[in-house]
Amino acid sequence: MSDQQLSDTELAGQPAAYWTGVAYEALIAYTRERQAEKGYTQPQFWLLRNLSADDISPDGAGMTLPELQQAMASYIRPEDDLAVAAEELVQRGWLTWDAGDRLWITEEGEQARLDLKRNAPAIRAALHEGVSDADYVTTVKVLRQLVRNAGGTAT
């Protein structure tokens, strides 16, 4: 489907699930390509974020891979291999294992997380080019309502 030759009336009849799926795949691919250009993967960034007391982790405590998998269950993709991503970060010195098979973020890992976080505004700006904040807010509100209408929870 292409929106280039469709009228507003025709677009209004398009299936939201199709377009949200297309958007999801395109946005994830774009984000991951930009991250790969900088030398890291999205799962690696998520590992650092989930282990940092200054980010997602509530207490900065180490976590096992199954615990991390559970923590990321709502956004991890089937093709993401956290064990491989974690091992690469251990080799970089950004994570370390303890005797209980828990991963911990190192000082170098925390600095890397902060450095990698600086890439997010440029990615967002590129994706939002030509989209006003007002249009973006309207889109998110519409998507949240569609989720509620489908019986889901829009947080």
Side-chain angles (χ1 to χ4, degrees):
M1 288 186 200
S2 171
D3 63 345
Q4 296 300 323
Q5 64 270 37
L6 299 176
S7 69
D8 285 357
T9 301
E10 291 169 318
L11 284 173
Q14 293 286 300
Y18 170 80
W19 287 109
T20 57
V22 169
Y24 173 77
E25 292 300 329
L27 297 172
I28 292 295
Y30 181 87
T31 299
R32 287 179 176 219
E33 288 166 8
R34 300 298 77 76
Q35 290 171 329
E37 291 170 358
K38 300 288 186 181
Y40 67 101
T41 68
Q42 195 169 46
Q44 288 172 338
F45 186 50
W46 289 335
L47 284 166
L48 294 172
R49 294 192 66 205
N50 275 274
L51 292 168
S52 173
D54 294 324
D55 203 331
I56 296 174
S57 174
D59 56 10
M63 296 173 74
T64 65
L65 281 175
E67 290 169 337
L68 286 159
Q69 185 79 34
Q70 178 62 35
M72 298 181 209
S74 67
Y75 51 88
I76 197 86
R77 292 175 56 99
E79 68 269 21
D80 294 337
D81 188 333
L82 289 185
V84 170
E87 193 52 44
E88 290 168 352
L89 295 180
V90 168
Q91 290 174 8
R92 290 183 187 185
W94 296 356
L95 297 180
T96 187
W97 292 102
D98 70 12
D101 285 332
R102 297 176 84 72
L103 284 163
W104 295 81
I105 193 168
T106 65
E107 287 183 33
E108 294 84 3
E110 181 59 26
Q111 185 58 54
R113 182 191 68 80
L114 292 171
D115 292 344
L116 299 178
K117 182 179 176 181
R118 290 186 186 100
N119 296 318
I123 293 170
R124 182 190 188 283
L127 291 172
H128 285 240
E129 186 176 336
V131 178
S132 71
D133 285 347
D135 284 347
Y136 182 77
V137 168
T138 298
T139 300
V140 172
K141 286 179 178 180
V142 168
L143 291 172
R144 290 178 65 176
Q145 186 60 49
L146 289 171
V147 169
R148 286 189 294 271
N149 291 349
T153 303
T155 55

